[in-house]
Amino acid sequence: MEFLENLRSGDSRFLARALSAVVERAPGAAGLLRAIYPATGHALVVGLTGPPGSGKSTLVDGLARAYRLRGETLGVVAVDPTSPFTGGAILGDRIRMQAHHADPGIFIRSLATRGALGGLAQAASDVVAVLDAAGKDRILVETVGVGQDEVDIIQLADVTVVVLVPGMGDEVQAIKAGLMEIADVFVINKCDRGPEKLEQEIKAMLALAPSGAEADAWGPPVVKTVATQGEGIEGLTTVIAERVAWIEAHGGLARHRARQWQQRLRQFARDRLAQRLLDPWLTEERVERLAESIATHGTDPYTAVDALIQQALETSLQ
Amino acid sequence: MEFLENLRSGDSRFLARALSAVVERAPGAAGLLRAIYPATGHALVVGLTGPPGSGKSTLVDGLARAYRLRGETLGVVAVDPTSPFTGGAILGDRIRMQAHHADPGIFIRSLATRGALGGLAQAASDVVAVLDAAGKDRILVETVGVGQDEVDIIQLADVTVVVLVPGMGDEVQAIKAGLMEIADVFVINKCDRGPEKLEQEIKAMLALAPSGAEADAWGPPVVKTVATQGEGIEGLTTVIAERVAWIEAHGGLARHRARQWQQRLRQFARDRLAQRLLDPWLTEERVERLAESIATHGTDPYTAVDALIQQALETSLQ
């Protein structure tokens, strides 16, 4: 297939166009994604998530450098509104992005978290598929692990790294609790601030986890880094490699990914259903009229939306 | 209607049961919501959002006290995983919740942010509708303003308060940018830490906003608080009242709410469509089989999901 050949040629302009097509859901994007899917599965996807201010971007940057030095080609997908690759970039911080700009072996794509109606997880999934089909050896996905959307995104990763920092206060406890179940690896970044208390907390939480029952279960290790100094990055790549080796030894990547797909499939199907059936029907004018009627109590939102869905269904099947 | 009478009787056990029914989408919940909708619209809904650690919960607590002192009845909806009302409560911090426990004039309901598949915004909307129909004068909705889900939730508020704190670092810039467009009021909490720099930044951002074109446009004021000391809470209630007065003078609340519904209706319809059509079809077994097939490249996710949707459509219309 000529398209796939172009995609794998290393021509980053072609890759950029293909990514824009899938993100903007251009006509033909669905066919493109279908066509490239058999060529996916080569890349190892590493997700990094954590609260704002935990230094994820710097860590992603450090990991990218480390993998590039080993000759791996890389895709970076940034879906973190607090990342300099995305939101930060809007505000002028393009420094790190520029540092990689001259390197054709690394391709960075950011995704805006706002305005991607219900489709951010799918957009991220599609972008990863294209980068994978383009032959990238490794794909780093950066997201801020707070909302449900963001947790959905990180489920496309083969290995999930949760990044925390010391001294973020008690409120971060709850975030940790929410991220605990998806973490394969914990990073304590900025650990020059004294990581002991946080490390103890993480280990205490892990000790409570039910998965510890199996004798050879994976226990998420805690890696200490100072990403701004490059400290601990090598250790992190080692732990990620160990996690991949563990997966290979316990059923293999394909089975691991099948389990991930079980988690993702419902949202994936929801998004596609809405795109196909509802979005074409929900014109500006129709939405405006309905909103008016609901706000003035001419109808209730449940009756109004059910009628709308019924109409959309009947129209789509005519 | 007897049900509505019970709901308005002030019996909090009845209210609690009604809320659980809508959150868990019990049979009859849809009918319940339809039936109570005409009785909604009385409550004034104030949303509070901001990054983790900004002290939103303490502020909500302070606002609740202030409104209770004026004799208003209150509903509090906490959808913030970092809030002591929700996630924090799981971890043992129930102190503030208990402080209100003896007061029948305030009703607190928390919503878990995880596991509410695509439906968190709708769950929040439904909970607010029930509290509104139950006769609460004011409803405070607390959420963490980072993900898209959380921004969706806050759009049900009549007045949106964005809470920030000094010294959260450059990464918070981007969050501010994302929240800027939805803010009616800014609060700089913990302003004993020196609010000047943050205040300048907010004002600089607001000066760039396009909405400033109209002569009598609402310019979001900046309120300084130290919520743990109760400082600035009265000032915040005043500013919220001013915003409501401004809305009343510029088209009224109904028109304001119609505009909010325009923003929310798409997601609302998406959620309902998925609940009706897709969720019954997506059995565990079916999801498992599909995930396996996708992960082993027996099919691609797009073809698989489209086939699934087609089957669900045909079944639902038989």
Side-chain angles (χ1 to χ4, degrees):
Chain A
M1 193 175 61
E2 198 193 332
F3 179 83
L4 206 55
E5 273 169 35
N6 282 333
L7 197 59
R8 300 175 83 91
S9 69
D11 183 339
S12 62
R13 287 166 308 173
F14 194 87
L15 177 54
R17 276 202 302 274
L19 289 172
S20 293
V22 301
V23 170
E24 292 155 21
R25 297 198 175 125
L32 185 157
L33 286 163
R34 256 191 209 99
I36 64 168
Y37 190 76
T40 64
H42 163 72
L44 200 93
V45 184
V46 179
L48 290 97
T49 190
S54 56
K56 292 177 297 294
S57 305
T58 315
L59 211 57
V60 167
D61 184 59
L63 277 179
R65 282 171 202 277
Y67 288 125
R68 284 300 293 138
L69 283 175
R70 301 177 189 184
E72 291 189 31
T73 57
L74 280 172
V76 175
V77 186
V79 273
D80 177 356
T82 70
S83 163
F85 297 127
T86 54
I90 299 162
L91 294 163
D93 181 353
R94 290 179 177 272
I95 298 158
R96 256 162 288 170
M97 239 170 134
Q98 282 172 344
H100 294 294
H101 214 73
D103 179 1
I106 177 165
F107 192 95
I108 300 168
R109 171 79 205 198
S110 61
L111 286 174
T113 51
R114 308 230 333 124
L117 179 69
L120 193 57
Q122 185 167 2
S125 176
D126 294 346
V127 164
V128 167
V130 173
L131 289 166
D132 187 349
K136 301 298 176 201
D137 298 315
R138 196 174 292 260
I139 298 165
L140 307 178
V141 181
E142 178 196 351
T143 183
V144 58
V146 177
Q148 182 62 44
D149 255 12
E150 291 68 26
V151 172
D152 286 345
I153 291 166
I154 216 67
Q155 276 172 335
L156 62 81
D158 296 315
V159 178
T160 298
V161 178
V162 170
V163 186
L164 299 168
V165 282
M168 289 197 79
D170 290 342
E171 304 215 20
V172 181
Q173 292 281 356
I175 299 185
K176 284 207 297 267
L179 296 176
M180 199 60 64
E181 56 201 91
I182 59 165
D184 298 313
V185 176
F186 282 96
V187 165
I188 304 183
N189 192 28
K190 306 184 185 178
C191 75
D192 43 345
R193 293 188 192 169
E196 295 77 15
K197 182 163 171 277
L198 180 56
E199 188 174 10
Q200 279 168 9
E201 286 169 4
I202 294 171
K203 290 192 169 160
M205 279 196 172
L206 289 174
L208 295 173
S211 65
E214 298 163 57
D216 65 343
W218 175 260
V222 179
V223 180
K224 291 173 209 161
T225 61
V226 185
T228 50
Q229 309 293 319
E231 280 173 36
I233 302 289
E234 279 300 314
L236 179 56
T237 64
T238 304
V239 167
I240 291 169
E242 284 168 2
R243 172 59 175 163
V244 176
W246 187 94
I247 292 169
E248 294 286 11
H250 291 78
L253 260 179
R255 217 177 116 205
H256 185 73
R257 287 171 177 168
R259 267 197 298 268
Q260 308 276 81
W261 268 109
Q262 280 185 41
Q263 304 296 320
R264 292 163 61 197
L265 205 60
R266 282 173 204 277
Q267 191 60 49
F268 197 92
R270 276 176 167 248
D271 288 344
R272 266 186 99 71
L273 175 63
Q275 278 164 39
R276 278 183 52 183
L277 206 71
L278 206 57
D279 293 353
W281 187 257
L282 279 174
T283 58
E284 282 298 315
E285 193 205 336
R286 213 168 248 140
V287 169
E288 207 170 300
R289 193 155 20 95
L290 267 176
E292 179 72 30
S293 173
I294 292 167
T296 56
H297 288 68
T299 181
D300 70 84
Y302 314 96
T303 304
V305 164
D306 284 351
L308 187 90
I309 289 171
Q310 198 56 40
Q311 286 174 309
L313 275 177
E314 283 164 12
T315 309
S316 79
L317 289 169
Q318 264 167 15
Chain B
M1 193 174 63
E2 197 194 331
F3 178 82
L4 205 55
E5 273 168 36
N6 282 333
L7 197 59
R8 298 173 84 90
S9 69
D11 183 340
S12 63
R13 285 167 309 171
F14 194 87
L15 177 54
R17 276 203 302 273
L19 289 172
S20 292
V22 301
V23 170
E24 291 155 19
R25 296 197 176 125
L32 186 156
L33 286 163
R34 257 191 209 98
I36 64 167
Y37 191 75
T40 63
H42 162 74
L44 201 93
V45 184
V46 179
L48 290 97
T49 189
S54 55
K56 292 177 296 296
S57 305
T58 316
L59 211 57
V60 166
D61 184 59
L63 276 180
R65 283 172 202 276
Y67 289 125
R68 284 299 293 137
L69 283 175
R70 301 177 189 183
E72 291 190 30
T73 57
L74 280 171
V76 175
V77 186
V79 273
D80 177 356
T82 70
S83 162
F85 296 126
T86 54
I90 299 164
L91 295 164
D93 181 354
R94 290 178 176 273
I95 299 158
R96 256 162 288 171
M97 239 170 132
Q98 280 172 343
H100 294 294
H101 215 70
D103 178 2
I106 177 165
F107 191 96
I108 300 168
R109 170 79 206 200
S110 61
L111 286 174
T113 52
R114 308 230 335 125
L117 179 69
L120 192 58
Q122 186 168 359
S125 176
D126 294 346
V127 164
V128 167
V130 173
L131 289 167
D132 187 349
K136 300 298 175 201
D137 298 316
R138 197 174 290 263
I139 298 165
L140 307 178
V141 181
E142 177 196 350
T143 181
V144 57
V146 177
Q148 182 62 44
D149 256 12
E150 290 70 25
V151 172
D152 286 346
I153 292 165
I154 216 69
Q155 277 171 336
L156 62 80
D158 296 315
V159 178
T160 298
V161 179
V162 170
V163 187
L164 299 168
V165 283
M168 288 197 79
D170 290 341
E171 304 214 23
V172 181
Q173 292 282 356
I175 299 183
K176 284 206 298 267
L179 295 177
M180 200 59 63
E181 56 202 270
I182 59 165
D184 298 313
V185 176
F186 282 96
V187 166
I188 304 184
N189 191 29
K190 305 184 184 177
C191 75
D192 44 344
R193 292 188 192 169
E196 295 78 16
K197 183 163 171 276
L198 180 55
E199 189 174 11
Q200 279 168 12
E201 287 170 3
I202 294 170
K203 289 191 169 162
M205 277 194 175
L206 289 173
L208 295 172
S211 65
E214 299 163 57
D216 64 343
W218 174 260
V222 179
V223 180
K224 290 173 209 161
T225 60
V226 185
T228 49
Q229 308 293 318
E231 280 173 34
I233 301 289
E234 279 301 313
L236 179 56
T237 63
T238 304
V239 167
I240 290 169
E242 283 169 4
R243 173 57 175 165
V244 176
W246 186 94
I247 292 169
E248 294 286 9
H250 291 79
L253 260 179
R255 217 176 116 206
H256 185 73
R257 287 171 177 170
R259 265 198 300 268
Q260 309 276 82
W261 268 108
Q262 280 184 42
Q263 305 295 321
R264 292 162 59 197
L265 205 59
R266 283 173 202 277
Q267 191 60 49
F268 197 93
R270 276 176 166 247
D271 288 344
R272 267 185 98 72
L273 175 64
Q275 280 165 37
R276 277 184 51 184
L277 206 71
L278 205 57
D279 293 354
W281 187 257
L282 279 174
T283 59
E284 282 297 315
E285 192 205 338
R286 214 168 247 138
V287 169
E288 206 170 301
R289 192 153 21 93
L290 268 176
E292 178 72 29
S293 173
I294 292 167
T296 56
H297 287 71
T299 180
D300 69 85
Y302 315 96
T303 304
V305 164
D306 284 351
L308 187 89
I309 289 171
Q310 199 56 40
Q311 287 174 308
L313 275 178
E314 284 164 13
T315 309
S316 79
L317 290 168
Q318 263 166 16

